[in-house]
């Protein structure tokens, strides 16, 4: 049973922990819509399954799947992965799932944000999205976690926290008129502080070039730990990603976090540029109201879009020329974790990557 609470996490002494803190488990939703995933989503399902298996070696994974795909999904995944029937519109549980918050007495609850498919009728990626909108509530029901219903449109991939009071996000996404046009920057900050148990905002400018989410921060940068941010960085000055990354780095170098620390920036190479091939584009069903996939379109590829499991880092393999370097940098940042690359082009083709398709359930904190 999950009750909906009338208070807020901050008022109740709850905070969203950093992803680098210990997890109890991880959720993934199963892809199947053929107007986003090529060839009836079969290649994407293989990629999702590989991600699920890689994470399951670190922490228990639960996969949410439709009734129609239940049998297939159950058959291809290891028996130790839990498979539950939950209806979705697509498979981005980072964005439609709950953001979990914890207190210091063993409590764990979830924040259920409003979801509008990355922009609603003003640039959103599909219509309708009502099944996605109900996913967070269902996950909280399965987890037996009480729910805060946040009165704001927000996707989990559009924020990162350091667990010590700092939130990082991009202006391109959170201040976009297609999310919360009636809220000012200050009102959005206050809302985040209230629902994430935080007190300091670090604003980056734009997200990764051509990112269809309107620049989610999780594709651009993330906290490796408090005071250290990994940032995708294009060295080629003629690449539009270069100016975006340079601006983000400058903002981070000027920033102080909630504890007054300056931020150390670790650059990750920017893969590509990677574009959709004609064959890949032709495998996606054209449907009115869904973002079309076209031959030659640039994909928003980034190594920052990885999942930080309790004992492993699961990162996307995207470009043979720099996969190894990305892995080495991640190993340097997370020496106590096993760093594993998983082929992720099929996930990228759908518009996101490993971080976007995962949602951690943090471990409960007792007297920490
Ligand atoms: O968080 C994400 N990157 C979600 C992308 C949604 C893409 C839908 N085509």
């Amino acid at each position: 049973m999950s009750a909906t609470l009338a208070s807020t996490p901050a008022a109740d002494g709850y905070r969203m922990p950093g992803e680098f803190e210990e997890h109890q488990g991880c959720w993934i939703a199963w892809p199947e819509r053929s107007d986003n995933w090529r060839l009836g989503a079969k290649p994407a399902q293989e990629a999702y399954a590989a991600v699920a298996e890689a994470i399951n070696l670190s922490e228990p994974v639960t996969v949410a799947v439709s009734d129609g795909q239940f049998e297939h999904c159950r058959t291809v995944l290891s028996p130790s992965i839990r498979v539950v029937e939950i209806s979705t519109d697509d498979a981005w549980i980072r964005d439609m799932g709950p953001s979990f918050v914890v207190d210091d007495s063993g409590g764990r609850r979830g924040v259920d944000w409003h979801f509008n498919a990355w922009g609603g009728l003003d640039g959103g990626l599909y219509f309708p999205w009502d099944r996605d909108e109900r996913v967070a509530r269902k996950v909280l029901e399965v987890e037996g976690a009480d729910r805060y219903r946040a009165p704001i449109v927000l996707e989990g991939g559009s924020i990162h926290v350091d667990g010590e009071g700092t939130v990082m996000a991009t202006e391109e996404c959170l201040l976009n008129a297609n999310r919360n046009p009636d809220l000012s920057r200050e009102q959005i900050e206050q809302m985040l502080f209230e629902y994430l148990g935080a007190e300091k905002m670090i604003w980056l400018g734009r997200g990764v070039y051509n990112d269809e989410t309107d620049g989610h921060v999780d594709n651009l940068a993330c906290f490796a730990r408090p005071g250290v941010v990994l940032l995708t960085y294009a060295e080629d000055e003629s690449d539009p990603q270069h100016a975006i990354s340079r601006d983000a780095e400058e903002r981070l170098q000027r920033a102080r976090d909630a504890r007054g620390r300056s931020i150390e920036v670790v650059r990750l190479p920017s893969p590509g540029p990677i574009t959709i091939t004609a064959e890949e584009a032709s495998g996606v069903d054209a449907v009115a109201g869904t973002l079309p996939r076209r031959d030659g379109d640039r994909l928003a590829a980034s190594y920052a879009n990885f999942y930080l499991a309790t004992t492993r880092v699961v990162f996307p393999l995207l470009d043979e020329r720099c996969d190894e370097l990305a892995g080495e940098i991640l190993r340097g940042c997370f020496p106590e974790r096993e760093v594993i690359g998983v082929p992720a082009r099929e996930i990228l083709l759908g518009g996101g990557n490993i971080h976007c398709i995962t949602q951690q359930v943090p471990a409960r904190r007792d007297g920490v």
Side-chain angles (χ1 to χ4, degrees):
M1 169 67 189
S2 161
T4 298
L5 307 167
S7 52
T8 68
D12 295 343
Y14 279 71
R15 66 175 176 101
M16 183 175 175
E19 195 169 321
F20 41 80
E21 297 181 50
E22 189 188 341
H23 299 174
Q24 180 195 289
C26 174
W27 280 75
I28 290 178
W30 193 245
E32 61 175 293
R33 60 184 298 156
S34 60
D35 59 353
N36 192 57
W37 304 105
R38 74 191 186 104
L39 307 177
K42 289 299 149 198
Q45 289 175 0
E46 274 184 37
Y48 271 59
V51 171
E53 300 288 353
I55 295 171
N56 196 48
L57 292 174
S58 171
E59 61 207 38
V61 171
T62 303
V63 175
V65 63
S66 70
D67 177 46
Q69 278 289 308
F70 182 86
E71 196 61 41
H72 173 62
C73 178
R74 182 60 286 168
T75 304
V76 300
L77 294 175
S78 296
S80 61
I81 295 180
R82 176 169 68 163
V83 180
V84 299
E85 185 193 330
I86 291 184
S87 311
T88 64
D89 294 296
D90 201 1
W92 307 98
I93 205 153
R94 175 66 54 188
D95 293 343
M96 63 201 184
S99 301
F100 285 93
V101 289
V102 296
D103 70 3
D104 290 340
S105 325
R108 182 174 55 224
R109 297 173 175 169
V111 180
D112 180 358
W113 313 97
H114 284 268
F115 179 79
N116 75 352
W118 307 275
L121 301 181
D122 175 14
L125 300 179
Y126 48 74
F127 174 88
W129 55 80
D130 54 306
R131 289 183 294 201
D132 282 348
E133 171 72 316
R134 289 188 288 274
V135 167
R137 189 169 192 182
K138 294 176 181 178
V139 169
L140 294 173
E141 194 70 41
V142 173
E143 292 292 340
D146 287 342
R147 164 182 181 253
Y148 296 101
R149 180 60 159 158
I152 179 174
V153 172
L154 187 127
E155 305 93 46
S158 70
I159 48 159
H160 264 308
V161 298
D162 72 353
E164 296 188 353
T166 315
V167 186
M168 179 168 65
T170 68
E171 293 169 343
E172 179 187 354
C173 185
L174 264 58
L175 305 186
N176 197 304
N178 64 13
R179 300 308 206 280
N180 297 286
D182 298 330
L183 297 182
S184 67
R185 173 194 295 258
E186 291 71 27
Q187 288 170 321
I188 289 171
E189 286 184 2
Q190 283 312 314
M191 197 71 82
L192 292 177
F193 296 164
E194 213 40 61
Y195 282 88
L196 297 170
E199 68 246 24
K200 180 74 197 269
M201 193 80 200
I202 296 180
W203 285 106
L204 304 182
R206 289 164 59 202
V208 167
Y209 181 70
N210 227 19
D211 187 331
E212 63 198 52
T213 64
D214 299 317
H216 273 189
V217 73
D218 74 343
N219 207 24
L220 178 74
C222 64
F223 288 104
R225 55 186 172 275
V228 180
V229 167
L230 281 151
L231 170 70
T232 190
Y233 199 95
E235 302 288 349
D236 177 1
E237 293 185 13
S238 66
D239 182 336
Q241 182 57 43
H242 176 79
I244 296 171
S245 296
R246 199 183 53 192
D247 173 65
E249 187 174 68
E250 286 169 3
R251 288 176 186 236
L252 286 163
Q253 284 165 345
R254 287 196 301 268
R256 290 288 177 277
D257 68 14
R259 303 260 176 121
R261 283 177 291 244
S262 57
I263 307 289
E264 179 193 342
V265 179
V266 178
R267 292 181 182 178
L268 282 166
S270 179
I274 296 177
T275 54
I276 309 183
T277 67
E279 188 193 347
E280 288 166 341
S282 70
V284 180
D285 290 348
V287 169
T290 303
L291 197 72
R293 301 287 174 211
R294 290 172 309 220
D295 175 19
D297 278 352
R298 177 154 173 186
L299 295 159
S302 164
Y303 292 111
N305 207 318
F306 62 84
Y307 182 71
L308 197 41
T310 301
T311 62
R312 302 188 119 194
V313 177
V314 181
F315 80 100
L317 297 176
L318 295 166
D319 179 346
E320 283 177 348
R321 295 166 299 177
C322 41
D323 287 343
E324 205 169 308
L325 175 59
E328 282 316 306
I329 294 169
L330 291 171
R331 275 179 202 101
C333 273
F334 303 105
E336 68 297 345
R337 286 172 159 99
E338 194 180 1
V339 175
I340 304 291
V342 173
R345 185 176 175 96
E346 295 295 339
I347 308 174
L348 177 64
L349 286 167
N353 228 299
I354 291 174
H355 195 258
C356 313
I357 68 165
T358 50
Q359 182 65 251
Q360 71 275 7
V361 181
R364 296 176 191 276
R365 270 45 170 192
D366 267 318
V368 180

mmCIF file of all heavy atoms in Angstrom, residues 38 274-284 293-299 345-346 349:
data_model
loop_
_atom_site.group_PDB
_atom_site.id
_atom_site.type_symbol
_atom_site.label_atom_id
_atom_site.label_comp_id
_atom_site.label_asym_id
_atom_site.label_seq_id
_atom_site.Cartn_x
_atom_site.Cartn_y
_atom_site.Cartn_z
ATOM 1 N N ARG A 38 13.180 0.747 -33.852
ATOM 2 C CA ARG A 38 13.157 0.120 -35.175
ATOM 3 C C ARG A 38 12.879 -1.387 -35.086
ATOM 4 O O ARG A 38 13.119 -2.012 -34.050
ATOM 5 C CB ARG A 38 14.458 0.405 -35.923
ATOM 6 C CG ARG A 38 15.651 -0.351 -35.432
ATOM 7 C CD ARG A 38 16.906 0.201 -36.053
ATOM 8 N NE ARG A 38 18.061 -0.608 -35.706
ATOM 9 C CZ ARG A 38 18.637 -1.459 -36.539
ATOM 10 N NH1 ARG A 38 18.176 -1.590 -37.757
ATOM 11 N NH2 ARG A 38 19.688 -2.149 -36.153
ATOM 12 N N ILE A 274 27.493 11.173 -34.216
ATOM 13 C CA ILE A 274 26.844 9.932 -34.625
ATOM 14 C C ILE A 274 25.497 10.283 -35.260
ATOM 15 O O ILE A 274 24.725 11.063 -34.695
ATOM 16 C CB ILE A 274 26.634 9.004 -33.404
ATOM 17 C CG1 ILE A 274 28.000 8.592 -32.826
ATOM 18 C CG2 ILE A 274 25.823 7.773 -33.795
ATOM 19 C CD1 ILE A 274 27.924 7.732 -31.573
ATOM 20 N N THR A 275 25.241 9.710 -36.437
ATOM 21 C CA THR A 275 23.990 10.006 -37.146
ATOM 22 C C THR A 275 23.217 8.719 -37.439
ATOM 23 O O THR A 275 23.791 7.626 -37.445
ATOM 24 C CB THR A 275 24.268 10.741 -38.476
ATOM 25 O OG1 THR A 275 25.207 9.955 -39.219
ATOM 26 C CG2 THR A 275 24.849 12.124 -38.247
ATOM 27 N N ILE A 276 21.924 8.862 -37.722
ATOM 28 C CA ILE A 276 21.067 7.704 -38.056
ATOM 29 C C ILE A 276 21.331 7.308 -39.505
ATOM 30 O O ILE A 276 21.418 8.177 -40.383
ATOM 31 C CB ILE A 276 19.577 8.053 -37.925
ATOM 32 C CG1 ILE A 276 19.274 8.701 -36.579
ATOM 33 C CG2 ILE A 276 18.702 6.824 -38.140
ATOM 34 C CD1 ILE A 276 17.798 9.000 -36.345
ATOM 35 N N THR A 277 21.447 6.021 -39.762
ATOM 36 C CA THR A 277 21.611 5.563 -41.148
ATOM 37 C C THR A 277 20.225 5.448 -41.801
ATOM 38 O O THR A 277 19.198 5.378 -41.120
ATOM 39 C CB THR A 277 22.287 4.185 -41.197
ATOM 40 O OG1 THR A 277 21.386 3.225 -40.618
ATOM 41 C CG2 THR A 277 23.613 4.172 -40.458
ATOM 42 N N ALA A 278 20.259 5.368 -43.134
ATOM 43 C CA ALA A 278 18.994 5.226 -43.872
ATOM 44 C C ALA A 278 18.303 3.925 -43.474
ATOM 45 O O ALA A 278 17.077 3.881 -43.293
ATOM 46 C CB ALA A 278 19.285 5.235 -45.377
ATOM 47 N N GLU A 279 19.084 2.875 -43.294
ATOM 48 C CA GLU A 279 18.492 1.585 -42.927
ATOM 49 C C GLU A 279 17.827 1.658 -41.550
ATOM 50 O O GLU A 279 16.718 1.160 -41.348
ATOM 51 C CB GLU A 279 19.588 0.523 -42.931
ATOM 52 C CG GLU A 279 19.046 -0.879 -42.750
ATOM 53 C CD GLU A 279 20.153 -1.877 -42.428
ATOM 54 O OE1 GLU A 279 21.339 -1.531 -42.589
ATOM 55 O OE2 GLU A 279 19.806 -2.989 -42.002
ATOM 56 N N GLU A 280 18.508 2.312 -40.615
ATOM 57 C CA GLU A 280 17.922 2.434 -39.270
ATOM 58 C C GLU A 280 16.638 3.262 -39.306
ATOM 59 O O GLU A 280 15.635 2.890 -38.692
ATOM 60 C CB GLU A 280 18.941 3.076 -38.323
ATOM 61 C CG GLU A 280 20.091 2.141 -37.959
ATOM 62 C CD GLU A 280 21.274 2.853 -37.293
ATOM 63 O OE1 GLU A 280 21.391 4.102 -37.417
ATOM 64 O OE2 GLU A 280 22.076 2.157 -36.672
ATOM 65 N N ALA A 281 16.679 4.365 -40.046
ATOM 66 C CA ALA A 281 15.499 5.238 -40.097
ATOM 67 C C ALA A 281 14.313 4.511 -40.727
ATOM 68 O O ALA A 281 13.166 4.660 -40.270
ATOM 69 C CB ALA A 281 15.828 6.498 -40.880
ATOM 70 N N SER A 282 14.593 3.693 -41.737
ATOM 71 C CA SER A 282 13.483 3.032 -42.436
ATOM 72 C C SER A 282 12.857 1.922 -41.595
ATOM 73 O O SER A 282 11.759 1.462 -41.893
ATOM 74 C CB SER A 282 13.949 2.475 -43.780
ATOM 75 O OG SER A 282 14.812 1.384 -43.539
ATOM 76 N N GLY A 283 13.516 1.508 -40.527
ATOM 77 C CA GLY A 283 12.958 0.461 -39.666
ATOM 78 C C GLY A 283 11.983 0.979 -38.623
ATOM 79 O O GLY A 283 11.382 0.202 -37.877
ATOM 80 N N VAL A 284 11.829 2.306 -38.552
ATOM 81 C CA VAL A 284 10.924 2.899 -37.555
ATOM 82 C C VAL A 284 9.595 3.233 -38.238
ATOM 83 O O VAL A 284 9.586 3.885 -39.288
ATOM 84 C CB VAL A 284 11.548 4.189 -36.958
ATOM 85 C CG1 VAL A 284 10.612 4.815 -35.931
ATOM 86 C CG2 VAL A 284 12.902 3.877 -36.330
ATOM 87 N N ARG A 293 12.019 9.715 -37.445
ATOM 88 C CA ARG A 293 13.448 9.357 -37.506
ATOM 89 C C ARG A 293 13.874 9.485 -38.955
ATOM 90 O O ARG A 293 13.307 8.823 -39.832
ATOM 91 C CB ARG A 293 13.657 7.921 -37.020
ATOM 92 C CG ARG A 293 13.186 7.681 -35.602
ATOM 93 C CD ARG A 293 14.115 8.321 -34.588
ATOM 94 N NE ARG A 293 13.597 8.224 -33.224
ATOM 95 C CZ ARG A 293 13.835 9.143 -32.296
ATOM 96 N NH1 ARG A 293 14.527 10.223 -32.571
ATOM 97 N NH2 ARG A 293 13.376 8.985 -31.080
ATOM 98 N N ARG A 294 14.889 10.322 -39.233
ATOM 99 C CA ARG A 294 15.298 10.576 -40.608
ATOM 100 C C ARG A 294 16.764 10.257 -40.827
ATOM 101 O O ARG A 294 17.604 10.540 -39.948
ATOM 102 C CB ARG A 294 15.038 12.044 -40.978
ATOM 103 C CG ARG A 294 13.563 12.374 -41.105
ATOM 104 C CD ARG A 294 13.380 13.844 -41.265
ATOM 105 N NE ARG A 294 14.107 14.563 -40.203
ATOM 106 C CZ ARG A 294 13.654 15.639 -39.572
ATOM 107 N NH1 ARG A 294 12.480 16.138 -39.898
ATOM 108 N NH2 ARG A 294 14.358 16.220 -38.643
ATOM 109 N N ASP A 295 17.045 9.692 -41.996
ATOM 110 C CA ASP A 295 18.410 9.393 -42.411
ATOM 111 C C ASP A 295 19.296 10.635 -42.212
ATOM 112 O O ASP A 295 18.953 11.721 -42.664
ATOM 113 C CB ASP A 295 18.361 8.991 -43.899
ATOM 114 C CG ASP A 295 19.736 8.769 -44.479
ATOM 115 O OD1 ASP A 295 20.687 8.569 -43.712
ATOM 116 O OD2 ASP A 295 19.832 8.788 -45.731
ATOM 117 N N GLY A 296 20.416 10.476 -41.511
ATOM 118 C CA GLY A 296 21.367 11.585 -41.370
ATOM 119 C C GLY A 296 21.157 12.444 -40.140
ATOM 120 O O GLY A 296 22.007 13.287 -39.825
ATOM 121 N N ASP A 297 20.048 12.277 -39.446
ATOM 122 C CA ASP A 297 19.824 13.097 -38.234
ATOM 123 C C ASP A 297 20.904 12.794 -37.197
ATOM 124 O O ASP A 297 21.255 11.635 -36.970
ATOM 125 C CB ASP A 297 18.462 12.792 -37.605
ATOM 126 C CG ASP A 297 17.327 13.533 -38.298
ATOM 127 O OD1 ASP A 297 17.617 14.392 -39.153
ATOM 128 O OD2 ASP A 297 16.157 13.229 -37.986
ATOM 129 N N ARG A 298 21.397 13.838 -36.559
ATOM 130 C CA ARG A 298 22.416 13.643 -35.520
ATOM 131 C C ARG A 298 21.765 13.169 -34.227
ATOM 132 O O ARG A 298 20.744 13.710 -33.788
ATOM 133 C CB ARG A 298 23.179 14.945 -35.273
ATOM 134 C CG ARG A 298 24.195 14.782 -34.158
ATOM 135 C CD ARG A 298 25.325 15.735 -34.272
ATOM 136 N NE ARG A 298 26.196 15.673 -33.107
ATOM 137 C CZ ARG A 298 27.200 16.494 -32.898
ATOM 138 N NH1 ARG A 298 27.459 17.440 -33.787
ATOM 139 N NH2 ARG A 298 27.956 16.377 -31.833
ATOM 140 N N LEU A 299 22.406 12.178 -33.620
ATOM 141 C CA LEU A 299 21.906 11.624 -32.366
ATOM 142 C C LEU A 299 22.639 12.268 -31.192
ATOM 143 O O LEU A 299 23.826 12.605 -31.304
ATOM 144 C CB LEU A 299 22.116 10.110 -32.357
ATOM 145 C CG LEU A 299 21.290 9.368 -33.417
ATOM 146 C CD1 LEU A 299 21.887 7.998 -33.709
ATOM 147 C CD2 LEU A 299 19.845 9.246 -32.961
ATOM 148 N N ARG A 345 23.911 1.554 -29.017
ATOM 149 C CA ARG A 345 23.422 2.325 -30.169
ATOM 150 C C ARG A 345 21.902 2.203 -30.326
ATOM 151 O O ARG A 345 21.221 3.165 -30.672
ATOM 152 C CB ARG A 345 24.121 1.871 -31.458
ATOM 153 C CG ARG A 345 23.727 2.728 -32.641
ATOM 154 C CD ARG A 345 24.460 2.387 -33.912
ATOM 155 N NE ARG A 345 23.937 3.184 -35.014
ATOM 156 C CZ ARG A 345 24.465 4.320 -35.451
ATOM 157 N NH1 ARG A 345 25.564 4.788 -34.901
ATOM 158 N NH2 ARG A 345 23.923 4.996 -36.439
ATOM 159 N N GLU A 346 21.370 1.021 -30.065
ATOM 160 C CA GLU A 346 19.921 0.831 -30.253
ATOM 161 C C GLU A 346 19.109 1.673 -29.270
ATOM 162 O O GLU A 346 17.990 2.069 -29.574
ATOM 163 C CB GLU A 346 19.564 -0.655 -30.130
ATOM 164 C CG GLU A 346 20.168 -1.536 -31.213
ATOM 165 C CD GLU A 346 19.646 -1.225 -32.617
ATOM 166 O OE1 GLU A 346 18.575 -0.630 -32.747
ATOM 167 O OE2 GLU A 346 20.370 -1.583 -33.591
ATOM 168 N N LEU A 349 19.273 5.279 -30.546
ATOM 169 C CA LEU A 349 18.372 5.509 -31.681
ATOM 170 C C LEU A 349 16.960 5.874 -31.222
ATOM 171 O O LEU A 349 16.216 6.544 -31.941
ATOM 172 C CB LEU A 349 18.306 4.251 -32.564
ATOM 173 C CG LEU A 349 19.540 3.970 -33.429
ATOM 174 C CD1 LEU A 349 19.473 2.554 -34.007
ATOM 175 C CD2 LEU A 349 19.656 5.000 -34.548
#
